[in-house]
């Protein structure tokens, strides 16, 4: 799929089709799935809004990997207001998720309320500066930082410095979790002789995922529990955590990629900030905040507490303004 802002650029994956449709103006909203940033990354690269909901907020019945613990169905839209509308229509937990996860009641913000400015004055935005600026392109972090400063000067929000330990360990735990779960769901098709229907890059990924052991998966879940503790400690100080959505803007598509490609260097830069939303099941949203010198979109990511979509959407709407 080609990026509407530059047809020789990626749209990001894996919900690239919905992102390109919305960015092109062919529709106001679409649905994607986010297991490793697959809603937020294409939203950032295509200059639209991508909301990744709390794990268990949407019914995943019928999705290929519906038995996993990292993936959710979520909206990609042209604006935060459209995101509120599509999220409201899409939300609804499965009975087993209601029993085990106990989601809070669905709540959406009134974005035109006169109380919004007063509410936003009390919002504290967490920023781990060392992580925030750990990007190959300073244009990305500087643009996101300008958006945060404008948010604070306009609405009176406060930026609080936080520290989130073990970010590299979080990346590894996510890879083992999503890889093991994806292989579990796809293995029956793989063993049934349908591997030739899969692209070379998909087959390479499944070969990697097949190498993970049960001990690896259990270790990843132990890491998940510890990293969740670090984030919940941060949420005692702040209401949302802000990062760039991606570490770079849309990269060029090399001609060789048309036959299938596994570029893990580029993938790592695109996925750098998305792991907490998936591994920990936290809600997160990408909002467009500007463009680089080549005219390519830059997205700011906001991460919220579990079931905190309403607060996240309110702050995202202020950023969008």
């Amino acid at each position: 799929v080609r990026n509407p802002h530059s047809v020789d650029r990626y749209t990001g994956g894996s919900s690239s089709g919905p992102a390109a449709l919305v960015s092109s103006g062919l529709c106001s909203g679409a649905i994607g799935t986010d297991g490793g940033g697959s809603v937020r990354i294409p939203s950032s690269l295509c200059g639209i809004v991508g909301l990744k909901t709390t794990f268990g907020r949407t019914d995943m019945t019928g999705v290929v990997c519906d038995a996993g613990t990292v993936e959710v169905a979520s909206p990609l839209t042209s604006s935060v207001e459209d995101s509120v509308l599509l999220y409201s229509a899409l939300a609804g937990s499965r009975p087993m998720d209601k029993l085990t996860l106990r989601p809070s009641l669905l709540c959406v913000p009134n974005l035109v309320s006169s109380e919004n400015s007063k509410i936003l004055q009390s919002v504290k935005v967490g920023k781990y500066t060392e992580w925030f600026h750990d990007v190959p392109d300073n244009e990305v972090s500087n643009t996101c930082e300008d958006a945060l400063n404008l948010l604070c000067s306009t609405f009176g929000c406060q930026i609080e410095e936080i520290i989130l330990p073990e970010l590299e360990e979080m990346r590894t735990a996510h890879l083992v979790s999503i890889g093991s779960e994806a292989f579990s769901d796809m293995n029956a098709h793989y063993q049934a002789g349908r591997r030739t229907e899969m692209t070379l890059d998909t087959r390479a990924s499944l070969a990697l995922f097949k190498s993970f052991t049960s001990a690896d998966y259990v270790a990843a879940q132990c890491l998940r529990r510890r990293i969740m503790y670090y984030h919940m400690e941060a949420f005692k100080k702040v209401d949302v955590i802000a990062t760039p959505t991606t570490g770079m803007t849309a990269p060029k598509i090399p001609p060789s990629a048309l036959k299938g490609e596994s570029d893990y260097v580029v993938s790592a830069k695109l996925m750098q900030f998305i792991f907490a939303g998936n591994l920990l099941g936290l809600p997160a949203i990408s909002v467009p905040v500007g463009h680089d010198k080549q005219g390519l979109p830059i997205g700011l990511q906001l991460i919220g507490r579990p079931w905190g979509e309403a607060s996240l959407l309110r702050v995202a709407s202020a950023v969008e303004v």
Side-chain angles (χ1 to χ4, degrees):
V1 178
R2 303 291 180 147
N3 193 313
H5 290 266
S6 180
V7 294
D8 63 341
R9 303 270 176 170
Y10 282 108
T11 53
S14 57
S15 298
S16 53
L21 286 171
V22 175
S23 181
S24 299
L26 295 175
C27 58
S28 297
I31 298 172
T33 55
D34 193 317
S38 297
V39 162
R40 289 162 288 159
I41 292 171
S43 294
S44 177
L45 300 193
C46 292
I48 62 173
V49 177
L51 170 65
K52 185 264 165 194
T53 59
T54 306
F55 180 80
R57 180 63 89 183
T58 53
D59 190 333
M60 293 292 287
T61 302
V63 176
V64 173
C65 297
D66 68 338
T69 62
V70 298
E71 188 170 11
V72 297
S74 295
L76 303 93
T77 59
S78 55
S79 68
V80 174
E81 183 179 8
D82 286 339
S83 188
V84 171
L85 294 172
L86 190 50
Y87 163 66
S88 300
L90 188 63
S93 301
R94 290 179 289 190
M96 66 177 185
D97 288 335
K98 289 181 180 179
L99 288 172
T100 57
L101 300 175
R102 298 179 181 178
S104 62
L105 293 175
L106 179 64
C107 178
V108 294
N110 182 355
L111 299 181
V112 297
S113 171
S114 59
E115 295 293 308
N116 274 342
S117 294
K118 187 182 298 184
I119 295 171
L120 288 167
Q121 286 177 10
S122 64
V123 168
K124 293 182 178 180
V125 180
K127 177 187 172 190
Y128 183 14
T129 299
E130 184 177 339
W131 188 32
F132 196 99
H133 288 282
D134 185 21
V135 294
D137 185 354
N138 289 335
E139 265 192 286
V140 171
S141 56
N142 290 341
T143 300
C144 289
E145 193 161 48
D146 290 344
L148 283 183
N149 291 335
L150 183 60
L151 174 71
C152 293
S153 63
T154 304
F155 295 97
C157 303
Q158 299 177 51
I159 296 178
E160 297 282 342
E161 182 67 24
I162 59 172
I163 295 177
L164 297 170
E166 301 186 358
L167 295 174
E168 185 62 24
E169 287 81 356
M170 179 167 64
R171 182 194 68 81
T172 303
H174 172 266
L175 175 62
V176 172
S177 297
I178 192 174
S180 300
E181 292 166 5
F183 184 78
S184 176
D185 282 313
M186 297 298 294
N187 191 39
H189 303 288
Y190 196 78
Q191 295 300 330
R194 299 183 63 186
R195 69 188 72 184
T196 55
E197 299 176 25
M198 303 175 185
T199 58
L200 293 175
D201 49 325
T202 298
R203 287 153 65 181
S205 295
L206 288 175
L208 170 64
F209 299 158
K210 187 179 180 180
S211 70
F212 298 152
T213 65
S214 57
D216 294 331
Y217 187 79
V218 171
Q221 306 323 300
C222 293
L223 276 170
R224 171 187 268 176
R225 184 185 181 96
R226 190 164 75 222
I227 294 167
M228 184 64 160
Y229 169 79
Y230 296 144
H231 280 71
M232 295 311 293
E233 285 296 298
F235 281 124
K236 290 179 180 179
K237 295 174 55 179
V238 300
D239 301 293
V240 298
I241 297 171
T243 73
T245 307
T246 59
M248 62 189 301
T249 53
K252 284 190 175 182
I253 304 173
S256 60
L258 300 180
K259 295 182 179 180
E261 178 190 36
S262 294
D263 191 332
Y264 291 115
V265 175
V266 170
S267 295
K269 293 175 183 176
L270 292 176
M271 298 174 68
Q272 183 172 352
F273 300 102
I274 59 85
F275 300 115
N278 297 115
L279 183 67
L280 308 181
L282 302 174
I285 189 168
S286 177
V287 186
V289 291
H291 300 80
D292 67 7
K293 292 175 182 177
Q294 296 172 300
L296 300 171
I298 295 172
L300 175 72
Q301 178 182 226
L302 301 170
I303 306 168
R305 297 185 179 93
W307 317 114
E309 284 91 347
S311 298
L312 209 57
L313 288 162
R314 191 188 305 277
V315 178
S317 179
V319 170
E320 185 180 54
V321 171

